[in-house]
Amino acid sequence: MTTDHPRIDAGTAPAIDTDSEVLIVGAGPAGLMLANLLGMYGRRVTVLEAMDRLIDYPRGVGLDDESFRTIQTVGLVDAIRPHTTPQHIMRLVNGAGKVILVNNPQTDEFGWHRKHGFIQPEADKALYEGLARFDHVRVLFGHRVEDVRETADGVTATALVARPGGGVEERLFRAQYLVGCEGGKSPTRKRLGVTFEGESPSTRWLVVDVNNDPLGTPNVFLGADPKRPYVSIGLPHAVRRWEFMLHDDETEEQVTDPEYVNALLRDHVPDPTKLDFIRRRVFTHHARVAGNFRTGRQLIAGDAAHLMPVWMGQGWNSGMRDATNLGWKLAAVLSGQAGDALLDTFTSERKEHAQAMVDLSLTFGNFIKITHPVLAAGRDAAASLLNLFPSVKSYFSDMKFKPMPRYTRGVLADPNSQASGRATARLTSKLIPVLSANTKVSPVGVQFPQPRVNSRHGENVLLDDVVGNWWSVVVWGNNPKDVLPAESLEKLAGLGARLVCILPETQRGWAEQNMGDDVLVLGDHTGRMKKWFDDRPTPMVFLRPDRFVAGACLTQNGPATLDAILRSMAFTGRGAAPGRVAVPHDARSLLG
């Protein structure tokens, strides 16, 4: 990885750098994670960043379990975990300081706590430093992309670079694809002419970050105070954040004045003048989603594709979801294993959920920032009443209101008809195993759980660390080679899919002796996998590299389901599988 700025003599045409398969514009979290994923898959990547260094002040404060699963995939758990507070509890309090709602989810179905507080600059730095593991990935700071020219077989980006002696020079970079991750004002999105629909609510907020947390409480308080709604957040490394809603007549110059800030903080700390301030900044929430995430050989991800109001802490996490979805698809296309049409599924899979998170964040924000005293009193009374009902209380406490990603169009096979490229959310078969199942909700299009399992490679290990970072076929109790025909097994070999059998720990030794070395046998010593398969009439699961279920079926429907999945991803049958690249990490002992 290098940050040097090569000089091109004036009067000569810039040489074209052709060392990359993918150009990523922007060294923010989405771009850095995408570079890590592509580096893990052995792809050649250049990240072009206009600034001369990473941003070093706090921004995002919430990291969820889906993001941690991706961090685990790229082997950076040990680097990022020290900068997090697991199980970050949120309490909604009214104007009198009374708690009216608590959000404290206890679930860990994806292998990690549902919510973490975190220090974004430290996490971003870990993502950046993680790229040093890959000789074929580089980050070039001080490279501002000014123009992109696209042809049938690639893109050429023109970047302006400051000369050491003054002035600027041009550098040209050629690659097969370009991904714009430059934030909400994304020049890539604007050059493509993609719409960015939504709203920017007129409400402004003052954010205040301080060192040496004067309160010391490790969690989050959302102050639904009609006089001035506020947020108080305890973060790792003794950082405290406050956010205060501003009134229309308050100017930015006024509210960032130290004396004015101190006055806002007097209800929160005994002596605001003794605080160690990191920054004071006014911001406006934005709620926008791009009309399309891909045009030709150029794509957008992260804030360039969607802007989230801060209420649900989903801005950073939505960028991680984009990178997780796009990384394996670019790798499959670049390896020749899949056709270019696979990249169209990036929009069809990610756009709908991004919009759902924007809408939820807006709704939650409107609930908190009520300033009319009568309406605020009604809200508080309704919240107190709803807390009397355990099911409603659990709905908020366990964060069940947060829509989990469910893909209905994309790299999928319908669980009922085995149709390609789409999946209904319910199982409708009239077969007795389906009619008698505990749930009719289909697992296709959602993330597969990540329990701990035992195998010959180690005990009490997180599932993803055993099955690896590419495709897998997971079968409960059966040998995949016995329930799939030779033709399907040949296709799976071409896909690079791992054959996996999960069964009770009591049977693992027998299965390891009888199924052969080409089947990964996993012992379900916790019983969590047994319950998952017991609830669903889908003993065969086709698991994508991003841990989403592409297909799930009875074993006799396995061949048709596999064929539908391969069609949906424009599988070519050519090219080597890009997965199974070893990435040094040690996540196996965590969360135990």
Side-chain angles (χ1 to χ4, degrees):
M1 185 162 47
T2 179
T3 59
D4 63 339
H5 300 158
R7 183 175 184 131
I8 300 172
D9 293 335
T12 64
I16 300 180
D17 185 311
T18 60
D19 291 340
S20 306
E21 296 170 298
V22 178
L23 297 175
I24 297 174
V25 184
L32 293 171
M33 178 56 83
L34 180 59
N36 272 279
L37 287 161
L38 290 170
M40 177 184 71
Y41 289 132
R43 311 323 305 184
R44 293 178 286 111
V45 179
T46 295
V47 182
L48 301 172
E49 169 56 51
M51 298 176 60
D52 60 3
R53 62 178 62 87
L54 297 177
I55 296 175
D56 60 359
Y57 55 78
R59 287 163 291 150
V61 295
L63 191 160
D64 66 18
D65 50 349
E66 298 172 63
S67 293
F68 235 118
R69 196 172 188 178
T70 301
I71 291 167
Q72 174 193 350
T73 296
V74 298
L76 293 176
V77 164
D78 291 346
I80 290 179
R81 201 165 185 247
H83 310 298
T84 68
T85 298
Q87 200 175 342
H88 212 207
I89 302 170
M90 184 273 287
R91 295 181 176 89
L92 180 64
V93 301
N94 62 16
K98 178 184 177 182
V99 176
I100 55 178
L101 286 175
V102 176
N103 174 227
N104 182 22
Q106 302 293 312
T107 56
D108 64 349
E109 67 263 41
F110 297 145
W112 304 96
H113 290 293
R114 178 60 58 86
K115 295 175 60 181
H116 304 72
F118 83 125
I119 301 295
Q120 182 179 341
E122 296 295 341
D124 291 356
K125 180 183 177 184
L127 292 176
Y128 166 67
E129 293 178 345
L131 297 175
R133 299 171 295 175
F134 309 116
D135 292 338
H136 46 283
V137 178
R138 56 182 173 166
V139 178
L140 301 177
F141 288 100
H143 283 60
R144 186 174 74 250
V145 175
E146 287 292 302
D147 185 44
V148 177
R149 300 295 175 91
E150 182 175 332
T151 61
D153 60 351
V155 293
T156 301
T158 301
L160 298 185
V161 185
R163 287 187 177 133
V168 296
E169 60 188 7
E170 288 186 350
R171 291 193 66 186
L172 302 182
F173 296 85
R174 179 78 174 168
Q176 294 185 46
Y177 293 96
L178 180 146
V179 185
C181 302
E182 325 101 304
K185 298 180 180 179
S186 169
T188 300
R189 185 189 67 244
K190 294 176 181 178
R191 276 193 298 268
L192 295 176
V194 174
T195 61
F196 204 36
E197 299 176 356
E199 59 180 291
S200 295
S202 58
T203 307
R204 298 166 302 138
W205 291 76
L206 173 70
V207 60
V208 180
D209 292 318
V210 302
N211 286 313
N212 307 318
D213 185 355
L215 304 185
T217 53
N219 296 305
V220 182
F221 291 91
L222 298 183
D225 185 345
K227 289 182 281 189
R228 189 188 294 272
Y230 67 89
V231 183
S232 177
I233 308 174
L235 294 170
H237 309 330
V239 173
R240 166 69 51 175
R241 167 169 294 182
W242 283 280
E243 297 175 13
F244 298 98
M245 195 178 88
L246 301 178
H247 301 308
D248 291 342
D249 60 346
E250 293 175 308
T251 67
E252 181 169 349
E253 182 181 12
Q254 177 185 10
V255 300
T256 54
D257 179 84
E259 289 299 320
Y260 205 91
V261 174
N262 290 345
L264 292 176
L265 291 170
R266 284 199 181 99
D267 287 338
H268 297 268
V269 295
D271 189 354
T273 64
K274 294 183 179 179
L275 296 177
D276 180 8
F277 290 93
I278 300 173
R279 68 166 182 165
R280 311 171 183 87
R281 185 175 69 89
V282 173
F283 70 95
T284 301
H285 294 178
H286 298 280
R288 298 182 182 275
V289 179
N292 194 10
F293 294 2
R294 184 214 179 177
T295 300
R297 291 184 169 272
Q298 300 181 62
L299 305 98
I300 53 175
D303 285 355
H306 38 70
L307 285 174
M308 302 274 167
V310 302
W311 298 110
M312 300 302 300
Q314 288 299 303
W316 197 89
N317 297 295
S318 293
M320 294 300 104
R321 292 190 192 99
D322 287 350
T324 306
N325 186 286
L326 182 57
W328 74 269
K329 295 176 179 178
L330 278 169
V333 171
L334 291 167
S335 72
Q337 191 180 67
D340 178 84
L342 173 60
L343 299 180
D344 289 335
T345 66
F346 177 49
T347 299
S348 64
E349 292 185 348
R350 283 294 304 132
K351 184 175 184 293
E352 184 176 343
H353 184 259
Q355 185 65 64
M357 291 308 307
V358 166
D359 294 344
L360 178 63
S361 296
L362 281 173
T363 300
F364 197 61
N366 290 335
F367 180 78
I368 293 168
K369 63 183 186 181
I370 295 174
T371 56
H372 193 288
V374 175
L375 295 178
R379 173 202 58 200
D380 299 348
S384 297
L385 179 62
L386 291 174
N387 272 325
L388 298 177
F389 297 91
S391 61
V392 177
K393 186 175 182 179
S394 172
Y395 179 77
F396 289 99
S397 178
D398 293 336
M399 212 170 176
K400 296 176 182 177
F401 54 84
K402 174 189 173 185
M404 299 302 294
R406 172 179 282 279
Y407 301 150
T408 58
R409 295 179 299 119
V411 184
L412 307 164
D414 186 80
N416 303 301
S417 65
Q418 286 77 57
S420 178
R422 58 183 175 84
T424 57
R426 294 194 65 80
L427 302 171
T428 59
S429 170
K430 301 302 181 183
L431 290 173
I432 289 176
V434 178
L435 294 175
S436 59
N438 288 339
T439 179
K440 303 299 188 296
V441 178
S442 169
V444 178
V446 300
Q447 279 196 65
F448 196 66
Q450 185 185 199
R452 289 183 172 271
V453 295
N454 292 337
S455 79
R456 63 166 60 98
H457 305 293
E459 297 190 348
N460 200 39
V461 180
L462 286 168
L463 177 70
D464 295 356
D465 287 335
V466 189
V467 301
N469 56 31
W470 201 239
W471 285 84
S472 300
V473 181
V474 180
V475 181
W476 173 260
N478 268 312
N479 184 339
K481 295 186 299 182
D482 291 341
V483 294
L484 287 169
E487 182 182 2
S488 295
L489 293 173
E490 184 177 349
K491 293 173 183 176
L492 288 169
L495 182 62
R498 173 162 283 169
L499 305 180
V500 181
C501 169
I502 299 184
L503 36 60
E505 174 64 15
T506 54
Q507 301 175 33
R508 179 166 65 91
W510 174 88
E512 287 176 343
Q513 293 178 6
N514 288 277
M515 290 191 182
D517 294 338
D518 52 348
V519 175
L520 175 65
V521 177
L522 302 180
D524 176 33
H525 66 293
T526 67
R528 296 180 77 167
M529 278 284 86
K530 179 175 179 289
K531 181 177 184 342
W532 192 92
F533 281 102
D534 185 56
D535 286 342
R536 297 163 179 81
T538 51
M540 177 175 287
V541 175
F542 295 86
L543 193 59
R544 301 176 359 168
D546 58 4
R547 320 306 182 184
F548 277 75
V549 177
C553 58
L554 294 169
T555 55
Q556 290 184 357
N557 286 330
T561 299
L562 172 61
D563 289 345
I565 293 168
L566 295 179
R567 289 196 301 274
S568 72
M569 67 173 288
F571 182 65
T572 64
R574 303 184 300 273
R580 313 284 179 222
V581 177
V583 176
H585 71 296
D586 184 18
R588 292 177 171 82
S589 63
L590 303 177
L591 201 74

